[in-house]
Every structure is written in structure tokens, then in C-alpha cells.
Amino acid sequence: MIGAKTSRLTPEGYHDDHQRIWDAVAGGATVQAVETQFKTKDGSMIDVEVTLTPHRGENGLVTGVSAIVRDATARRARHDELARQARTDSLTGLP
């Protein structure tokens, strides 16, 4: 996505959250392991973990950003299943 706007990955309801993340990076902060959701090419949603690192030019201003985006769908599903198991009796299946 070199040079492309990341807003096309932002699903409805996440624009404010994603804008806060980009504002922090534009201010020079590194954003590490933030969990959010992105929209795929086919419009479906995936859970992702994002790390963003700003790059500064000689004048000290942010001139670019490196991003590492990991698909966190499987990890999130495991987390949700463990949370469900913690709330549910294993013998009866009741909360």
C-alpha cells in the first residue's frame, strides 16, 4: 500500500479510533501492538494487531511511517473461546 490512503481499510465505526492512532504517529509517537479491525478487499472484517513507527527527516519532522500489521483473527478467537469457557460451567454448559 505504498502511497495509498489507509482509510480504505477502515471499517465504519472505527474512523475516530484510527484517526487517533494516526495523530499519535504524526506527532512522533510509536504505536505498538494496537488491536483493531480492518476491512479486506472483499469487504469482510478481520482482527489485526498494528504497530506503527514514524520516520523523521533531517529537520526532525515525520516524513513517513512503517507499519506492521498482523492478522489476529485466530488469536482473538482463542481469547474469546477462553473467556466463554471461564464464564460457562464445563459440565452443564450453563453460565
Side-chain angles (χ1 to χ4, degrees), residues 35-36 46-49 70-78:
E35 289 190 21
T36 188
I46 60 169
D47 293 311
V48 294
E49 180 183 278
R70 294 183 181 95
D71 184 342
T73 304
R75 184 170 51 85
R76 183 65 191 192
R78 284 190 307 272

Side-chain angles (χ1 to χ4, degrees), residues 4 10 24 35 45-46 60-61 65 72 79 83 93:
T10 304
E35 289 190 21
M45 305 291 290
I46 60 169
L61 297 176
V65 177
H79 175 272

Side-chain angles (χ1 to χ4, degrees), residues 23-83:
D23 289 346
V25 174
T30 296
V31 175
Q32 294 187 359
V34 173
E35 289 190 21
T36 188
Q37 288 191 321
F38 277 172
K39 184 170 41 177
T40 63
K41 287 181 184 180
D42 68 5
S44 62
M45 305 291 290
I46 60 169
D47 293 311
V48 294
E49 180 183 278
V50 179
T51 297
L52 301 168
T53 305
H55 297 276
R56 297 178 186 275
E58 292 179 12
N59 59 5
L61 297 176
V62 175
T63 58
V65 177
S66 292
I68 299 171
V69 180
R70 294 183 181 95
D71 184 342
T73 304
R75 184 170 51 85
R76 183 65 191 192
R78 284 190 307 272
H79 175 272
D80 291 348
E81 176 60 17
L82 288 173

